Amino acid sequence: MASSSKSKRRLLIEEEDEEEEEEEDEDETAEEIERFDDFTIASSWERFISDAEAVCRQWLADGPKNLVEKGAERLGSQEKLCRVKCELKYGKKMYCMEYHFEISTMGKSTYWDHDLHNLQLSFGVAEFLVIAPLSASGVVLDDPESTKLLSAVAIALSNCGSNWPAFVPVHDPSRKAYIGIQNMGTIFTRRFEADRIGSQVPIRLMHLEGLYELFLSKIVLDSSDFTASYIKVHFAMKLTYRTPPYDYDDEVDSSEQEVRESEGETDRLARMKTQWDDDCPWTEWYSAEDPVKGFELIAIWSSKMFEGSLEMAELENASSFDAEKWLLYPIVSPTMVDDSIGKFVGFASQLHLLVSALELSFDAQFLEDFVAAENPASDNSKSATAVPPPTVIDRVLKELFHDEIQSSSHVDVENRYSRAIKGAPLESLFAQFCLHALWFGNCNIRAIAVLWIEFVREVRWCWEESEPLPRMSSNVSSIDLSACLVHQKLQMLAVCIERKKSRNHDIIDNSENKYQKASSSKTDLEADLHTEPRDDKIDRTDPKLFINCSSLRSDVHPNLEETTTDLSKDAKYAVPSSDRQSKHRERRGSAGVVPSMMLLRSFQEMHAPYTQDPPLMTEDMHEERLHAVEALGDEAGFSGQLERDILSSDMSAFKAANPDAVFEDFIRWHSPGDWETDETEYKSGKNSDWPPRGKLSQRMSEYGNKWRKIWNEAPPLPVSEQKPLLDPVREGEKILHYLETLRPHQLLEQMVCTAFRASADTLSQTTYGDFKQMRTKMDQLYLTLASTLKSVQGNQLSDVSELTGDVRQLCLVFEHIEKLLFLAASIHRKLVDAPRLSEAIFNDYFTFYLPKMGTSLTSICYDKEFNSRQPVRMGERDAVAHLFPPPTANQSWRKVLSMGNLLNGHEPISREIIFSVNDRVSDAHYGSINPVATAGEIEIHRMYIHGTSNDLWVALSVTSWD
């Protein structure tokens, strides 16, 4: 073993020697070709400088625009900063040199631009180089090596005539330490240094006064130096506050509640201490994670000048409301952009499961096949065929049928585009069934089949017991044909139950009335045998009563005899002489007198009858009639035949309510357009009130008119004695047969459409303020649902995979809208008193999330971070401050040493400070020809401090001319 390892080492050494000999031969060949020796790059350090110089010259020559076109990497959320890099060899080590530059600089970047690179913010530079070793740590651990490396890059940049600052990461990676250098001309040089204190931060450095003295100590050699009192220090500060998470273990003391300045503040505190979606419409089905985990508030002080440490101490005790600018942005949950399966639970995730059930529904003919244990179709999804226990089924059925249901108008909560989806209204029975099915078990086909069978059994129980069908109105004049067929059937079944129940009551009442009449007649007969008839008793059925009434009417209308004569002369109004003297007959089924209308023959007031409603028909019944019309080939005649029963019923009811009526009276009441009035008689002023001069229209006066034939055949019967146009028992049994024998794919197709519509209608009830972007997206969702689900509604079974694929894509669109709606609701609830600010924050996130809302299955913006900040106006600061409720007694003891500048008792989570000192220079004094030195005033000292009570990071830059 030892000999073999030695032989391998010898082979490797020989191969390396051969490679070095080949490289030396190539160098000698190149020197022979060029025919000169370059002794300036004899060492590896000089070759490294030369290589770095060549790369920098190429980057300078290309410029930012060409570098972007060549594929420079964009950094930051706003992608204003770009980066290019190359690898360089120095001795036996490899280094990576990166050039960071901005695409366009529209003026100087502000101190606190959130899209700045860490080195830009720390040292106040715009473009820079970073050179680091290609190692696991990525830092230079050896001080001589770092100094030598930085010197080499500085020489390369000087040879190029470039003023780019160069940085080298040093020390341990956790310290985030850098050293750097920048050549600003022939004389000026800027040096950079940054380091971090990760623990045990001195107490004096936690306060502004101590940090101010630390900066002065870097300027003067002695803290007692008199020159320190004359230095004018420019100061800028940025404080970041984060809303505290609510701890449910904490309770608000009653004493604290009494101290509240107003009831409004207590209400806001109570609202913040409840679950964020307690009053949202989806909480009936699931609880959503709050997409806004909190807010970060940034308070900024800028462009201030101080001459002593006492002023810094006063500023530390100042209120955050004194800051020049407030910026606010939400801390968004990662689930908002993470598309991993199982990360997001909502309507969209359950709809995705329902589509899987739809795909399996084509494998069987009956729903009972999926319930059977030996069904092979159920083996397709063994991992998702669990059915909840009977107790869960009973609970679902109890909520659907037996719980008290608050009556609400589902039309009010529907979106204006909701009816374009052929589903069922949100509050209807079938829509609630579909929503329950989404959460029943894991929404697999077997669980749906079990729930549907139990659902139909409960519907049959309502039918057999004549119990009203819950969530379905029985007082409808027509079936909603825009809804799915199952909803139409249930709607019609509710009407059939009501009518069957009414008919049963009528039968019972009639039998009781007959019994009461028989007993009362027997009693009257016995009374007549023992008593004499009374003279004052009036027989209202006596014909003389009608004659007397007619004579009274003739006094009021003196032209009655003339009118009667005219009507008798007209052949159309001719009646037998036996009927000319009207005999009073019993009037039945009258709904009241028709204003200003009298019967033509008897001159009695016309009564409107109670009539039967037209028979209700569902969509499939209409289709059956159309098919029958096509089969008979006589559409007009068949349509008239279908309406014959309705017309005959109306005529019978009219005859019963008006015993002395003629066909012309019925036309005047039922079809006024077919009665042509003679206007000349009325213009003459003669007989202006009576009789109405007119005649039937041409179509009604034709020989063999069907309406007159039906009139002659119709018996005078009120509605109560007529055969109903709709047989509730027969139609009800047909509906139950349909529900019990419904094919699985037909049920699932209607469930998919209804579930999408009901889920969207539920979400549309969410209160999210006046967010125009969100409202537009909700309208677009309905239009997308309507267009995509048409293929499902049309029963197109040619390509099941294509059908389900489109609906699965629709689930992704629905999920994006659902997430945005959660965000809109959360932001609105938390900033209800600042509507402009809440909408502006939502619009920022909407713009960030918009690229993700395509049809691609891959995440587009998952690798990005939302950090857009929205400025807070002065009038909105109170609303934002309420996001930071005062800490409770249990929370106060947890506080660490405070850094000052508290906001409602909360200290900032981080503090960033920039101290700087400027000095005026001139070319005559320093002898510089570089344009940078002629600026008049330059920043000679700068210190950036980023710290908390447990972490402090300091970056110092010093400009010198020595």
Side-chain angles (χ1 to χ4, degrees), residues 295 297 326-330 771 827-828 830-844 869-873 875-881 883:
F295 287 88
L297 173 65
W326 276 19
L327 300 175
L328 186 71
Y329 81 101
F771 293 0
I827 293 176
H828 172 70
K830 294 175 174 62
L831 294 173
V832 65
D833 297 330
R836 184 212 65 85
L837 179 61
S838 60
E839 185 174 6
I841 293 175
F842 175 78
N843 290 340
D844 287 344
R869 292 156 171 80
Q870 191 62 225
V872 181
R873 296 177 181 176
E876 299 168 338
R877 291 193 176 186
D878 289 335
V880 173
L883 296 173

Side-chain angles (χ1 to χ4, degrees), residues 173-311:
S174 62
R175 294 172 60 175
K176 300 179 182 179
Y178 288 90
I179 60 172
I181 192 170
Q182 180 183 12
N183 180 20
M184 304 179 64
T186 57
I187 297 179
F188 291 104
T189 302
R190 178 179 292 178
R191 292 177 174 83
F192 308 95
E193 184 178 358
D195 207 344
R196 171 176 175 262
I197 304 176
S199 61
Q200 297 181 353
V201 178
I203 296 179
R204 71 182 188 91
L205 297 183
M206 293 171 55
H207 300 280
L208 295 180
E209 186 177 0
L211 294 174
Y212 177 77
E213 293 175 354
L214 174 65
F215 175 69
L216 291 181
S217 67
K218 299 297 180 179
I219 300 177
V220 298
L221 297 177
D222 187 4
S223 59
S224 61
D225 192 344
F226 71 95
T227 57
S229 60
Y230 298 100
I231 297 177
K232 295 183 179 180
V233 179
H234 294 270
F235 169 84
M237 181 170 66
K238 170 184 172 183
L239 300 178
T240 302
Y241 300 88
R242 180 174 295 174
T243 55
Y246 174 67
D247 188 356
Y248 291 96
D249 295 334
D250 296 328
E251 296 180 357
V252 180
D253 297 336
S254 58
S255 59
E256 291 184 2
Q257 292 183 355
E258 294 176 357
V259 181
R260 304 297 181 201
E261 295 182 358
S262 64
E263 294 182 358
E265 185 175 353
T266 306
D267 294 340
R268 292 190 189 95
L269 182 61
R271 187 169 63 226
M272 293 294 293
K273 289 184 177 295
T274 57
Q275 293 292 339
W276 81 276
D277 61 347
D278 278 347
D279 56 353
C280 292
W282 61 77
T283 52
E284 183 181 355
W285 308 103
Y286 63 93
S287 179
E289 179 186 0
D290 194 344
V292 180
K293 294 301 182 181
F295 287 88
E296 284 195 1
L297 173 65
I298 299 174
I300 295 177
W301 284 263
S302 60
S303 302
K304 288 185 176 292
M305 186 176 295
F306 294 93
E307 297 183 1
S309 59
L310 294 179
E311 296 179 81

Side-chain angles (χ1 to χ4, degrees), residues 658-721:
N658 302 279
D660 297 319
V662 293
F663 178 67
E664 287 77 5
D665 292 322
F666 177 77
I667 294 299
R668 292 168 57 214
W669 170 73
H670 189 277
S671 181
D674 287 313
W675 178 260
E676 298 177 358
T677 305
D678 189 359
E679 299 293 341
T680 58
E681 295 291 339
Y682 292 97
K683 291 180 180 180
S684 63
K686 181 181 180 181
N687 302 330
S688 58
D689 294 332
W690 184 261
R693 303 290 181 175
K695 62 180 180 179
L696 294 174
S697 63
Q698 182 178 357
R699 78 182 186 101
M700 288 296 176
S701 60
E702 291 178 350
Y703 178 77
N705 181 265
K706 294 181 180 180
W707 282 48
R708 187 179 290 275
K709 183 178 179 181
I710 297 173
W711 171 266
N712 295 332
E713 296 175 354
L717 293 174
V719 172
S720 59
E721 300 179 11

Side-chain angles (χ1 to χ4, degrees), residues 27-90:
D27 293 339
E28 292 176 359
T29 304
E31 290 176 358
E32 291 177 357
I33 294 175
E34 296 177 0
R35 296 183 179 179
F36 70 90
D37 295 332
D38 189 0
F39 296 100
T40 61
I41 55 175
S43 65
S44 60
W45 186 64
E46 292 171 339
R47 285 197 295 269
F48 177 74
I49 295 176
S50 177
D51 294 341
E53 180 181 345
V55 174
C56 293
R57 287 185 184 275
Q58 184 63 44
W59 288 343
L60 284 169
D62 289 339
K65 184 177 180 181
N66 291 332
L67 290 176
V68 172
E69 293 178 355
K70 290 182 178 181
E73 181 183 0
R74 293 176 179 265
L75 305 176
S77 59
Q78 299 182 5
E79 297 185 348
K80 295 190 300 184
L81 186 66
C82 297
R83 177 179 64 182
V84 291
K85 56 185 178 180
C86 71
E87 295 182 1
L88 300 174
K89 186 177 181 181
Y90 180 22

